[in-house]
Amino acid sequence: MDESKEKSPQTSTESTVPRAVVSRLSLYLRELQQLVHEGNATTNSTQLGTLLGFTDAQVRKDLANFGQFGYPGIGYRCEELIAAIKKILGTDRSWPVAMVGLGNLGRALLRYRGFQEQGFQIAAAFDVDVEKIGSTVEGIEVFHLDQLAEVVTVKGIRLAIVAVPGAAAQTVADSLVAAGVEGVLNFAPVTLALPDHVSRVGVDLAIELEQLSFAVVNRPENP
Amino acid sequence: MDESKEKSPQTSTESTVPRAVVSRLSLYLRELQQLVHEGNATTNSTQLGTLLGFTDAQVRKDLANFGQFGYPGIGYRCEELIAAIKKILGTDRSWPVAMVGLGNLGRALLRYRGFQEQGFQIAAAFDVDVEKIGSTVEGIEVFHLDQLAEVVTVKGIRLAIVAVPGAAAQTVADSLVAAGVEGVLNFAPVTLALPDHVSRVGVDLAIELEQLSFAVVNRPENP
DNA sequence: TAGATTGTTAATCGATTAACAATC
DNA sequence: TAGATTGTTAATCGATTAACAATC
């Protein structure tokens, strides 16, 4: 073998980590927070795996992508692992987020507490309805979409949530990109075209139900 | 009660078709509907793949799981493929769905039109707030959670959406299972324990944002 | 210590991509 | 026919699981 045994210089996390692993990382974090809430100081790969439906090997392998966090013979100290995962996910800080679109979904999301609990703060909302511009919803100022670039810059916004009708989503996305936003969480039922340097996550509520109906219809007993 | 075909130890259900494939099937459907809307009668694996960011081979391979839908030299007839995918997903019919929890998110989801467009109809809503019981929201009757089993039976409900606080979600899920519901779409930030014969899809809005912050923080150029 | 559990390597399993004969 | 595109098989790639020495 002529291969050097040198480790590659990428220390913590390059884009070599699959999305599925990152997704599970969030689940580990959520479960660890729950375990702490229940009074546990430590856990282990078997317990975490059982709670989430994964094998113990997978839990350890996933974490191994980012370093060594456990103690042989003991497991993982919950608070310590929580801090480590938050650092990896980037949620050891607070992110100001833009909300675009104040229809039913957008307004509901403005009121949702779960974002803030995990380090995301809606810093500004945008719409095109003049009735809404200038008002305040849940303590968040509503701006016209035209002010996007300005507000994004002033407030240091890097992430945005798109909750506009499908027909408007791509145009909004283009504006977000032009304003310098780096990541978009899209609730519109369309696939957004974004440049490579902008990250994209899509949630389509109807699609989630479709996954369910497929599972139900295709279960052995159910024709 | 006879599970006679015990070939594989666990998850004998839809193990033949991976979840990832089913998820892409929904994306194909959405894109095909968009293509029809734009006036296209046919498409092909290269076009579908390009629009969604997949290879043409993957599109064909995914569809091959379910049969032969294309025409060599031509591609796919949009309307025909739409009908085929809807049949596979089980959305060639209308599904009555239960909504449990009428907080901000639950109410927003009641108003969301996207469900109905894809064949899902909220048939009843449930809460424990006596102020809401008996009222009508968006034309949908609100029942007390105690009436779940009864209403589920009468309305033939097989799917449910859980939009209650995390602390209440497992209890609600247990009630849904007891009422005979076969699939649960869970928006509460907890992992629900459900029996094998009940399907589960989870959407955690904070987790979606975490995926985004991870992507942004771990992009080569960004600290 | 003895028991428990990690991190990691090797083996297995599954999913994606490439290639091409079939065919419209 | 000539050109285009499918469905499918084979090759590649990646992810999950199993196993175990290290170690607390």
Side-chain angles (χ1 to χ4, degrees):
Chain A
M1 311 291 249
D2 52 357
E3 297 242 65
S4 147
K5 292 229 56 169
E6 280 176 31
K7 290 243 162 174
S8 101
Q10 38 188 346
T11 39
S12 54
T13 61
E14 292 293 313
S15 51
T16 53
V17 180
R19 148 140 319 185
V21 172
V22 184
S23 185
R24 286 195 296 269
L25 222 46
S26 282
L27 293 174
Y28 299 148
L29 174 59
R30 199 174 74 177
E31 208 62 54
L32 285 160
Q33 289 169 330
Q34 180 70 22
L35 285 166
V36 164
H37 188 73
E38 289 163 6
N40 299 275
T42 65
T43 183
N44 57 62
S45 56
T46 304
Q47 181 177 36
L48 270 178
T50 302
L51 287 165
L52 291 163
F54 308 143
T55 63
D56 58 328
Q58 177 145 73
V59 174
R60 296 197 299 279
K61 199 88 206 298
D62 282 346
L63 295 174
N65 281 287
F66 306 97
Q68 303 188 169
F69 307 104
Y71 301 89
I74 292 167
Y76 303 91
R77 304 204 209 286
C78 294
E79 292 286 14
E80 208 176 292
L81 188 51
I82 287 172
I85 294 179
K86 280 190 175 180
K87 188 137 182 279
I88 294 164
L89 292 174
T91 56
D92 53 342
R93 63 189 91 173
S94 180
W95 292 78
V97 178
M99 172 71 64
V100 187
L102 290 177
N104 298 317
L105 189 59
R107 287 198 306 274
L109 295 174
L110 274 194
R111 296 189 193 104
Y112 184 62
R113 297 301 168 89
F115 292 137
Q116 180 140 344
E117 279 164 22
Q118 294 303 329
F120 302 96
Q121 176 103 36
I122 311 290
F126 299 87
D127 206 299
V128 290
D129 182 350
V130 288
E131 295 279 314
K132 293 169 185 159
I133 314 293
S135 74
T136 294
V137 180
E138 294 293 308
I140 295 146
E141 255 186 292
V142 182
F143 298 92
H144 192 278
L145 202 52
D146 293 343
Q147 296 173 269
L148 191 62
E150 186 192 333
V151 177
V152 160
T153 304
V154 170
K155 302 208 178 232
I157 289 169
R158 301 170 68 185
L159 305 179
I161 298 174
V162 173
V164 301
Q170 185 61 57
T171 304
V172 162
D174 293 342
S175 302
L176 286 167
V177 171
V181 162
E182 296 168 70
V184 175
L185 172 54
N186 175 39
F187 285 91
V190 294
T191 301
L192 294 181
L194 296 175
D196 286 346
H197 66 279
V198 177
S199 300
R200 176 186 53 157
V201 170
V203 176
D204 186 319
L205 302 170
I207 284 183
E208 306 297 342
L209 274 181
E210 284 170 5
Q211 302 305 296
L212 222 44
S213 69
F214 174 85
V216 168
V217 167
N218 293 279
R219 239 194 315 267
E221 315 85 44
N222 285 334
Chain B
M1 62 176 283
D2 32 352
E3 297 185 5
S4 45
K5 290 181 216 163
E6 292 272 302
K7 289 175 193 169
S8 79
Q10 22 175 309
T11 63
S12 58
T13 46
E14 72 222 37
S15 53
T16 46
V17 179
R19 152 143 313 192
V21 172
V22 183
S23 185
R24 286 195 296 269
L25 222 47
S26 282
L27 294 174
Y28 299 148
L29 174 58
R30 199 174 74 177
E31 208 62 55
L32 285 160
Q33 289 169 331
Q34 180 69 24
L35 285 165
V36 165
H37 188 74
E38 289 163 7
N40 299 274
T42 66
T43 182
N44 57 62
S45 56
T46 304
Q47 181 178 36
L48 269 177
T50 302
L51 287 166
L52 291 163
F54 308 142
T55 64
D56 58 327
Q58 177 145 72
V59 174
R60 295 196 300 278
K61 199 89 205 300
D62 283 346
L63 295 174
N65 281 287
F66 306 97
Q68 303 188 169
F69 307 103
Y71 301 87
I74 292 167
Y76 303 91
R77 304 204 209 286
C78 294
E79 292 286 15
E80 208 176 293
L81 189 51
I82 286 172
I85 294 179
K86 280 191 174 179
K87 188 137 183 278
I88 294 163
L89 292 174
T91 57
D92 54 342
R93 62 188 94 173
S94 178
W95 292 79
V97 178
M99 171 70 65
V100 187
L102 290 177
N104 298 316
L105 190 59
R107 287 198 305 274
L109 294 174
L110 275 195
R111 296 189 194 103
Y112 184 62
R113 297 301 167 91
F115 292 137
Q116 181 142 344
E117 280 164 21
Q118 295 303 330
F120 302 97
Q121 176 102 35
I122 311 290
F126 299 88
D127 205 298
V128 290
D129 182 349
V130 289
E131 295 279 314
K132 292 170 185 159
I133 315 294
S135 73
T136 294
V137 181
E138 295 291 310
I140 295 146
E141 255 187 291
V142 182
F143 299 91
H144 192 279
L145 202 51
D146 292 344
Q147 296 174 269
L148 191 61
E150 186 193 333
V151 177
V152 160
T153 305
V154 170
K155 301 208 178 233
I157 289 169
R158 301 171 68 184
L159 305 180
I161 298 175
V162 173
V164 302
Q170 184 61 57
T171 304
V172 162
D174 293 342
S175 302
L176 287 167
V177 172
V181 162
E182 296 169 70
V184 175
L185 173 53
N186 175 40
F187 285 92
V190 295
T191 300
L192 294 182
L194 296 175
D196 286 346
H197 65 279
V198 178
S199 301
R200 175 185 53 158
V201 169
V203 176
D204 186 319
L205 301 171
I207 284 183
E208 306 298 341
L209 274 181
E210 283 170 7
Q211 302 305 297
L212 221 44
S213 70
F214 174 85
V216 168
V217 166
N218 294 280
R219 238 194 315 267
E221 318 86 47
N222 283 334

